[in-house]
Amino acid sequence: MLDALQRLGATALGVAERMGRGHLFLLHVLGGFPALLPRFGMVVKQMYSVGVLSLVIIAVSGLFVGMVLGLQGYNTLVDFGATESLGVMVALSLVRELGPVVAGLLFAGRAGSALTAEIGLMKATEQLSAMEMMAVDPLHRVVAPRFLAGILSMPLLAAIFSALGVVGGYFVAVGLLGVDDGAFWSQMQAKVDLHEDVFNGVIKSVVFGFVVTWIAVFEGYDTVPTSEGVSRATTNTVVHGSLAVLGLDFVLTALMFGK
Amino acid sequence: MSQTDKPTAEPLVRIRDLVYSRGERRIFDGIDIDIQRGKLTAIMGPSGTGKTTLLRLIGGQLRPDSGTVWVDGESVPQLNYRQLYELRKRMGMLFQNGALLTDLNVFDNVAFPLREHTRLNEALIRDLVLMKLQAVGLRGARDLMPSELSGGMARRVALARAIALDPMMIMYDEPFTGQDPISMGVLVTLLRTLTDALGLTSVMVSHDVQESLSIADYVYVISEGRVVEDGTPDTLRASTSPWVQQFLQGLSDGPVPFHFPAADYAEDLLGKTVESSR
């Protein structure tokens, strides 16, 4: 009994300590952001590996999620004779929820794990240590550009996800199921609000990008420098990153749409 | 430890009464070390005595529990972030595996500190990099990636990178470990010539006895958190300490026993000590 209590306490302390380290780490990395402006090429290079290389999986997933939404939505709406609202349904689901959330989950799996593994291996091979001894702060030189690239890439990826989702929904609805072309688009245009729907979705994707990238670079930097440690850190990134996306999505949705 | 036979000039690195623990384990228990300017000092000891940790304490990557580390008149543990990074620009460190940046080729690796810390134009950087690579004999390998280099070549590239900013001091972490005889010979010669030609202060951490003794000016032997012996290579060879003799000659048994502490062999085999041991 006492043992269990002790273990609980130790675990809680461990979690609190790690959270503290994570926040100090974040402050230090953010301190390196101003120095990135004159050398923005470094960020662009990282946006290529974080963002551009994630495009395929994001684009394909977006297209298929949109197509499934079109099919499922049609089956429900056809009972009410409201199939011309299909465009609204597809667009709202994507822009408000599925775009940021599914893109965030894929981002954690594709880009987050890669970031953790890369930084973790740089630590394990003493590259970060060597930089420190060359008077180059690895948090500013290695972590900061990757972090900023993640924050900038994620909203773009979510937007591409949503856009291709709408296209997928259009193919199924108009091409396959014979929904009226004009109604599909005009209803969507009338009902999807720029501020209420699109901006809130963008805010979500920025938050998810920030948190997932933060978790990814911190797990990489804080990894135990062995092959086992790197593998555990990579797993942690995907698991914690995905849970953070889902949890934060609920909180943000409650704040934005819960009247 | 005798203070009398040491040179009197102000040393570049002065360590006094250094104590450092990792978790429960005490790595250093009050050691005193002086690194003289322009000399090659070797710090030797068995594996796991924290020799690399010592270099990290000098470089300010770790903070001691107590004691002082002075480098070029500055107390390293008390420096703030900016001062520490300024000091490190005047230090180089050669890591055991080179620690080259794997996404850059040889040329860009050597150019890395120059590009980070100077505003030289590319033409000048090119000249400097080629000079440093020439010094380690790898000017022809400038376009190779780190994964294409042998272990010895990687270490020489790392050496070129370490001298890129013309530091006052270089620290070598196990420079000879895992090298074939030829690249070992190359590295031994390089360390000595660079120290002499550039007037560098070199600190070398190693357990390769013969190579270290052949090029070092002064040697410290560390064991179990303390300096057990120090002196020139010749005084060390003449040491009367049985421990030092066992270490220098690589004898399998002596003050450091071959067997890990255990119960009596015969009793252990007969299973009599299962309950009664200790």
Side-chain angles (χ1 to χ4, degrees):
Chain A
M1 173 67 191
L2 217 62
D3 259 15
L5 257 174
Q6 210 169 30
R7 236 173 297 139
L8 186 72
T11 313
L13 277 178
V15 171
E17 200 225 330
R18 206 168 139 80
M19 291 286 273
R21 254 184 301 145
H23 282 83
L24 288 176
F25 168 88
L26 177 66
L27 277 182
H28 195 133
V29 172
L30 292 180
F33 274 14
L36 289 176
L37 280 178
R39 307 176 70 182
F40 208 71
M42 289 199 310
V43 182
V44 174
K45 200 174 152 200
Q46 292 307 323
M47 281 182 79
Y48 175 78
S49 63
V50 171
V52 176
L53 294 182
S54 309
L55 262 181
V56 175
I57 187 168
I58 292 281
V60 172
S61 311
L63 200 63
F64 275 91
V65 167
M67 281 158 57
V68 170
L69 277 176
L71 278 175
Q72 294 283 16
Y74 182 84
N75 284 339
T76 312
L77 291 175
V78 77
D79 294 344
F80 305 99
T83 47
E84 58 273 20
S85 297
L86 192 56
V88 184
M89 201 216 81
V90 169
L92 281 185
S93 326
L94 282 166
V95 168
R96 281 182 173 193
E97 288 296 333
L98 290 174
V101 172
V102 179
L105 295 176
L106 293 170
F107 185 74
R110 166 63 184 76
S113 59
L115 279 177
T116 306
E118 187 188 14
I119 295 175
L121 278 173
M122 287 180 86
K123 182 177 183 183
T125 52
E126 293 189 309
Q127 292 181 51
L128 299 182
S129 213
M131 274 193 198
E132 268 182 28
M133 288 309 298
M134 285 188 277
V136 175
D137 191 334
L139 290 182
H140 292 173
R141 181 64 175 72
V142 173
V143 175
R146 285 167 173 78
F147 196 12
L148 187 56
I151 297 172
L152 294 177
S153 300
M154 177 55 203
L156 299 176
L157 291 173
I160 291 169
F161 185 97
S162 296
L164 279 167
V166 170
V167 172
Y170 173 81
F171 281 151
V172 170
V174 178
L176 228 64
L177 303 169
V179 176
D180 181 60
D181 196 352
F184 185 89
W185 291 118
S186 64
Q187 289 247 2
M188 192 191 297
Q189 195 180 4
K191 295 274 174 58
V192 179
D193 186 67
L194 181 66
H195 291 271
E196 178 84 351
D197 303 315
V198 178
F199 280 0
N200 278 338
V202 171
I203 291 172
K204 276 185 180 180
S205 61
V206 173
V207 172
F208 297 162
F210 184 90
V211 172
V212 169
T213 322
W214 177 20
I215 291 174
V217 290
F218 179 66
E219 283 288 348
Y221 189 78
D222 202 48
T223 186
V224 182
T226 58
S227 35
E228 198 200 357
V230 175
S231 111
R232 193 171 333 122
T234 313
T235 313
N236 278 349
T237 294
V238 179
V239 174
H240 296 171
S242 306
L243 290 178
V245 166
L246 296 170
L248 280 169
D249 182 52
F250 178 76
V251 175
L252 288 173
T253 307
L255 287 176
M256 288 166 175
F257 303 106
K259 303 243 159 61
Chain B
M1 193 176 83
S2 62
Q3 297 281 333
T4 45
D5 58 344
K6 284 185 189 168
T8 46
E10 174 74 8
L12 183 65
V13 179
R14 177 186 286 267
I15 297 174
R16 285 291 174 273
D17 215 15
L18 180 77
V19 177
Y20 181 78
S21 312
R22 185 176 295 141
E24 297 284 293
R25 215 182 127 225
R26 183 157 278 207
I27 313 255
F28 297 121
D29 193 9
I31 56 170
D32 301 332
I33 286 178
D34 283 333
I35 311 284
Q36 302 297 338
R37 289 171 196 270
K39 301 277 191 227
L40 202 169
T41 306
I43 295 165
M44 301 202 293
S47 307
T49 42
K51 301 189 297 295
T52 306
T53 308
L54 185 65
L55 295 186
R56 289 186 188 276
L57 284 160
I58 296 175
Q61 289 188 314
L62 298 171
R63 275 170 203 276
D65 299 344
S66 68
T68 54
V69 181
W70 293 83
V71 177
D72 201 24
E74 300 187 74
S75 173
V76 175
Q78 281 157 7
L79 293 180
N80 65 29
Y81 174 82
R82 201 170 293 276
Q83 291 166 324
L84 186 60
Y85 272 78
E86 279 306 314
L87 179 66
R88 282 181 187 160
K89 286 183 193 171
R90 293 185 279 142
M91 296 179 177
M93 177 147 168
L94 188 71
F95 285 82
Q96 203 165 344
N97 298 313
L100 296 175
L101 306 176
T102 40
D103 55 340
L104 302 178
N105 67 17
V106 166
F107 183 94
D108 289 330
N109 258 291
V110 180
F112 182 82
L114 294 167
R115 289 185 177 140
E116 290 292 324
H117 293 307
T118 69
R119 292 173 184 277
L120 302 176
N121 62 39
E122 274 304 306
L124 202 52
I125 285 182
R126 190 186 126 88
D127 287 349
L128 281 171
V129 170
L130 293 185
M131 281 161 65
K132 305 297 176 190
L133 282 174
Q134 175 74 13
V136 298
L138 289 176
R139 191 164 44 83
R142 74 186 91 158
D143 293 326
L144 297 181
M145 294 304 285
S147 55
E148 299 171 283
L149 301 174
S150 71
M153 284 164 82
R155 256 175 246 192
R156 280 150 72 190
V157 174
L159 187 52
R161 184 178 69 176
I163 57 173
L165 288 173
D166 293 318
M168 57 179 182
M169 168 169 88
I170 297 199
M171 300 186 276
Y172 302 92
D173 185 7
E174 300 280 6
F176 308 126
T177 305
Q179 297 299 309
D180 64 70
I182 298 176
S183 50
M184 180 108 93
V186 169
L187 283 165
V188 167
T189 322
L190 259 179
L191 254 64
R192 188 70 247 181
T193 37
L194 282 179
T195 307
D196 294 340
L198 303 178
L200 280 169
T201 305
S202 301
V203 187
M204 175 178 77
V205 146
S206 178
H207 52 231
D208 293 287
V209 173
Q210 294 319 318
E211 291 74 22
S212 304
L213 290 186
S214 70
I215 55 169
D217 296 308
Y218 203 85
V219 181
Y220 285 87
V221 181
I222 301 183
S223 175
E224 292 179 353
R226 292 182 173 280
V227 174
V228 285
E229 191 91 33
D230 66 304
T232 60
D234 288 332
T235 46
L236 225 68
R237 284 197 191 94
S239 167
T240 51
S241 152
W243 190 93
V244 172
Q245 287 304 330
Q246 187 192 358
F247 181 72
L248 293 187
Q249 293 168 29
L251 305 174
S252 65
D253 211 353
V256 181
F258 172 71
H259 289 289
F260 194 79
D264 185 76
Y265 188 35
E267 286 181 22
D268 213 357
L269 282 181
L270 295 169
K272 284 179 186 164
T273 55
V274 177
E275 302 302 325
S276 61
S277 59
R278 269 160 233 265

